[in-house]
Amino acid sequence: MRWSSVLVRQASRLFTLIAAISASMALAETAFITCQNGEELSRIDLSEMQETARWPLPGKPAGVAAGLDGTLFTVSPDSKTVRRLSSETGETIAQNVLDGGPIGIVLDSTGGRVFVSDWYNARLWMLDGENLEVLKELPTGTAPAGIAMSANGRFLASADKDADQVSVFDTETLQSRHRITVGTRPFGLRFAPDGRLFVGNVGSNDVSVIDVETGTVTATIPVGERPYGIAFAQGHAFVTNQYANTLSVISLTTLEHEALIEVGEYPEGIDATASEDLVVVANWFDNTVSIVDPKALSVIETIETCDGPRAFGSFLQGGRQ
């Protein structure tokens, strides 16, 4: 009986592990695309390369954050509404109407917190991940847009567009660590796998690379016109160039601009799967997403979405955060 009980427990743990791995793999194949013009959310199955659902989402949605655990959050700037949604049905689980200009959003996967940028009032809100109650405010430079969190959870950063700077916070103390001057009008940003912070400067058409430990810019890389979003896969950074309808491909080793990939018209949000086998790009004016093979450096599929896809944030469930 004793050995039987042990075997049952071991089998149960193995089943739980397999289920968790399977769930993670399934999540990694789902993209959630906020469509600002159409006020909808498009769910795309990347394993089947097709849209599987389209849900109403009022308030001109832009910001999106899909968590590793299946959680899903969106920001609708026109209605000033942050929502937590069901990734299965699109149903609103919780929401909060904020009193400023919410736009960017990022999840703290280890702390149950959500951070949202306030374009109008130079601050970040920290919200409770369950009920979206405001817990704290963090001061930034003028017009914070994109926000990002390091993979180890130590640092939170915001691109302060009208201040030409990036604000970096310690996530444990919530104190400011650095305010770093970058290029002109930074908008999107993301941490690379090695911890460096890459920032797209839409006004100066370049990318700033930051060492967040020291708070210094270590490189400035010219890219295409109006760089917006950044993702990482296969040892490269991929940058959406809005006005050029291209992706700039940058080597993470040499920081050299190595290639351009033509995508749809006015590419904006970009994300990569955790396995780094796909890069997904939202094309605002085309109402499509481009699926890019990061090894071949080519578009392998184009999928229609709802009207005006922005996908500003981490929109792949189970993808690289």
Side-chain angles (χ1 to χ4, degrees), residues 79-129:
S79 63
K80 306 179 186 297
T81 305
V82 179
R83 295 179 174 89
R84 180 181 179 186
L85 305 174
S86 165
S87 59
E88 296 296 327
T89 66
E91 178 185 3
T92 298
I93 299 170
Q95 68 178 29
N96 192 357
V97 177
L98 302 174
D99 61 352
I103 180 169
I105 186 168
V106 71
L107 310 183
D108 175 4
S109 59
T110 61
R113 303 173 296 183
V114 179
F115 294 90
V116 177
S117 56
D118 182 357
W119 180 266
Y120 296 144
N121 295 296
R123 63 183 173 180
L124 304 181
W125 288 284
M126 183 176 77
L127 310 180
D128 182 282

Side-chain angles (χ1 to χ4, degrees), residues 13-312:
R13 289 170 184 167
L14 180 60
F15 178 81
T16 300
L17 177 62
I18 292 171
I21 292 172
S22 299
S24 176
M25 291 173 63
L27 288 173
E29 296 173 345
T30 307
F32 293 89
I33 309 296
T34 48
C35 294
Q36 195 163 55
N37 300 347
E39 298 190 289
E40 293 179 303
L41 183 71
S42 181
R43 186 180 70 187
I44 295 173
D45 183 333
L46 296 178
S47 63
E48 298 294 333
M49 295 293 183
Q50 65 180 6
E51 184 183 58
T52 57
R54 189 178 291 188
W55 300 310
L57 190 58
K60 304 295 183 184
V64 58
L68 296 173
D69 58 354
T71 53
L72 178 63
F73 299 84
T74 61
V75 179
S76 293
D78 274 25
S79 63
K80 306 179 186 297
T81 305
V82 179
R83 295 179 174 89
R84 180 181 179 186
L85 305 174
S86 165
S87 59
E88 296 296 327
T89 66
E91 178 185 3
T92 298
I93 299 170
Q95 68 178 29
N96 192 357
V97 177
L98 302 174
D99 61 352
I103 180 169
I105 186 168
V106 71
L107 310 183
D108 175 4
S109 59
T110 61
R113 303 173 296 183
V114 179
F115 294 90
V116 177
S117 56
D118 182 357
W119 180 266
Y120 296 144
N121 295 296
R123 63 183 173 180
L124 304 181
W125 288 284
M126 183 176 77
L127 310 180
D128 182 282
E130 289 294 326
N131 56 27
L132 301 183
E133 175 188 358
V134 176
L135 303 176
K136 191 175 179 64
E137 297 177 3
L138 310 180
T140 67
T142 311
I147 50 180
M149 183 167 288
S150 60
N152 60 13
R154 288 183 57 200
F155 299 107
L156 172 70
S158 67
D160 306 335
K161 179 174 177 285
D162 290 351
D164 297 337
Q165 74 170 27
V166 168
S167 295
V168 177
F169 298 89
D170 183 303
T171 57
E172 183 175 352
T173 65
L174 298 178
Q175 297 300 306
S176 175
R177 284 285 300 264
H178 308 290
R179 289 198 170 189
I180 306 158
T181 300
V182 291
T184 306
R185 299 198 297 277
F187 200 89
L189 75 174
R190 188 167 285 181
F191 284 90
D194 61 9
R196 289 178 294 177
L197 181 63
F198 283 60
V199 185
N201 304 305
V202 298
S204 49
N205 296 331
D206 53 30
V207 170
S208 299
V209 182
I210 295 174
D211 180 331
V212 289
E213 292 282 358
T214 63
T216 55
V217 175
T218 59
T220 301
I221 308 163
V223 290
E225 193 172 4
R226 298 273 296 198
Y228 182 90
I230 302 170
F232 304 95
Q234 302 296 329
H236 292 91
F238 294 82
V239 184
T240 54
N241 301 313
Q242 290 175 313
Y243 285 8
N245 304 332
T246 60
L247 299 184
S248 285
V249 183
I250 300 167
S251 167
L252 293 181
T253 303
T254 66
L255 296 182
E256 292 182 357
H257 191 292
E258 294 192 337
L260 282 174
I261 304 171
E262 292 187 5
V263 289
E265 188 177 2
Y266 216 89
E268 293 220 340
I270 183 171
D271 207 355
T273 57
S275 59
E276 301 187 15
D277 60 341
L278 296 176
V279 173
V280 184
V281 182
N283 304 306
W284 188 12
F285 287 3
D286 268 0
N287 297 339
T288 63
V289 294
S290 298
I291 311 298
V292 175
D293 181 331
K295 289 184 178 179
L297 300 182
S298 62
V299 174
I300 59 173
E301 191 74 48
T302 301
I303 304 170
E304 292 187 2
T305 68
C306 35
D307 186 16
R310 299 292 304 276
F312 185 40

